[in-house]
Amino acid sequence: MAKKVRLPKRIAGVKVPKEMRRGVERAIEHAQSPAGQEMIAAALSMAAASATAALVRARSEAAVAAARRAAGRGRDDDAPPEAPTPPTPPPTPPQPPRPPVPPVAPVTGTPPRPPRPPEGAAAKPDAQAVAEAFGQIAEQALGRLFGGKR
């Protein structure tokens, strides 16, 4: 068994709370496993793709704005004209609420099916949800380290 990962009580002169150290220690242990390394690689790939898409979108918006300025047109010049709205139907009178119908058990004599297990109890976890949870842990850790006193 590998040596247990420990974080120091102080990092760069800042005291790290115990609950945060324990959470980060569990995250580091998980990150050292092959599955954890695969999740980190996937999260980094998704972050890189997102950053690239944002950069491309910003550049294309800047290019369109520059082309509009060069043509001397405003933002609303190329907006399509508004279509006429159809007439609204007359309002219907309000109706009183109906009481809910209680569920009825089948008459066949078979017991009802048990409910489905909750999300995450399946054999394979959702990679996106795991990556988001790992990102939240990292944000909390960095926020606690660099956020200052509250």
Side-chain angles (χ1 to χ4, degrees), residues 2-124:
K3 183 179 173 184
K4 187 168 178 144
V5 178
R6 295 278 181 189
L7 282 181
K9 289 185 180 181
R10 291 188 172 269
I11 298 177
V14 177
K15 185 176 185 297
V16 180
K18 183 185 283 188
E19 65 272 2
M20 191 172 121
R21 286 196 316 261
R22 297 259 163 77
V24 172
E25 289 169 0
R26 285 191 300 265
I28 290 174
E29 287 175 2
H30 182 67
Q32 290 175 344
S33 71
Q37 291 174 356
E38 186 176 323
M39 282 191 293
I40 291 171
L44 290 175
S45 297
M46 287 187 289
S50 175
T52 303
L55 183 63
V56 167
R57 183 174 39 247
R59 285 185 180 170
S60 65
E61 288 174 357
V64 168
R68 284 187 180 150
R69 279 193 303 272
R73 293 189 300 161
R75 200 174 228 297
D76 296 332
D77 289 344
D78 56 357
E82 289 189 27
T85 58
T88 58
T92 59
Q95 296 185 0
R98 295 184 181 145
V101 178
V104 179
V107 184
T108 61
T110 60
R113 273 201 260 164
R116 291 180 40 181
E119 187 74 24
K124 290 193 174 195

